[in-house]
Amino acid sequence: PRPKCFAKSKAELLPVIKEWIASGNTYTIRYGIGTLMSFYLDEDFKPEYIELGICAVEEYYVNMMIAWYLATALAKQWDATIPYLEERKLSPWVHRKTIQKAVESYRITDEQKVYLKTLRENC
């Protein structure tokens, strides 16, 4: 759950999200990425926030959240997010899972889905 008061305090929340993501604790990292996904992919979006949501943690639950975050970011901020897949900036597992989740999404256009499937190859 993400309290509604978070939406009213986004400027104060962002440094806390950064702390959560850097915590080293699986579920705290997941919560931080999920909070970033919930509050910073719409009107408060900045391209550098995508970097915050991508952690170099080899943990299944964190990587699953990263893929979910990136698939949502593709739906909401395609132009800022697609280079991470095109330039292969993600681990192979996160790369494939992001594409899978995005292709399953109703928020991604058919044309985008076809393109994403081409990025799945050779990964």
Side-chain angles (χ1 to χ4, degrees):
R2 288 174 188 81
K4 290 182 181 182
C5 64
F6 281 8
K8 297 175 184 174
S9 305
K10 290 181 187 174
E12 295 84 6
L13 181 59
L14 195 57
V16 177
I17 290 173
K18 291 176 184 179
E19 289 177 26
W20 290 336
I21 292 172
S23 74
N25 180 295
T26 297
Y27 296 101
T28 305
I29 295 168
R30 253 181 86 84
Y31 188 79
I33 296 169
T35 304
L36 192 64
M37 179 175 66
S38 294
F39 296 107
Y40 297 92
L41 284 178
D42 293 310
E43 65 273 352
D44 293 307
F45 175 76
K46 292 183 183 173
E48 60 264 23
Y49 293 166
I50 293 174
E51 288 289 329
L52 292 178
I54 302 173
C55 314
V57 177
E58 288 303 318
E59 214 298 324
Y60 174 81
Y61 293 107
V62 172
N63 287 332
M64 187 61 87
M65 180 54 86
I66 293 169
W68 183 18
Y69 169 70
L70 291 171
T72 303
L74 283 167
K76 293 183 173 200
Q77 301 292 338
W78 175 270
D79 291 337
T81 309
I82 194 65
Y84 289 87
L85 296 168
E86 292 173 334
E87 298 169 15
R88 310 252 185 236
K89 293 182 177 184
L90 310 167
S91 72
W93 190 93
V94 171
H95 181 95
R96 286 189 303 274
K97 188 58 75 173
T98 299
I99 292 170
Q100 175 190 338
K101 289 182 152 308
V103 167
E104 292 170 353
S105 173
Y106 293 113
R107 297 181 291 178
I108 301 289
T109 68
D110 290 339
E111 294 80 19
Q112 290 171 325
K113 290 177 183 183
V114 168
Y115 180 64
L116 287 169
K117 288 176 184 177
T118 69
L119 297 177
R120 187 169 42 199
E121 299 169 7
N122 300 321
C123 183

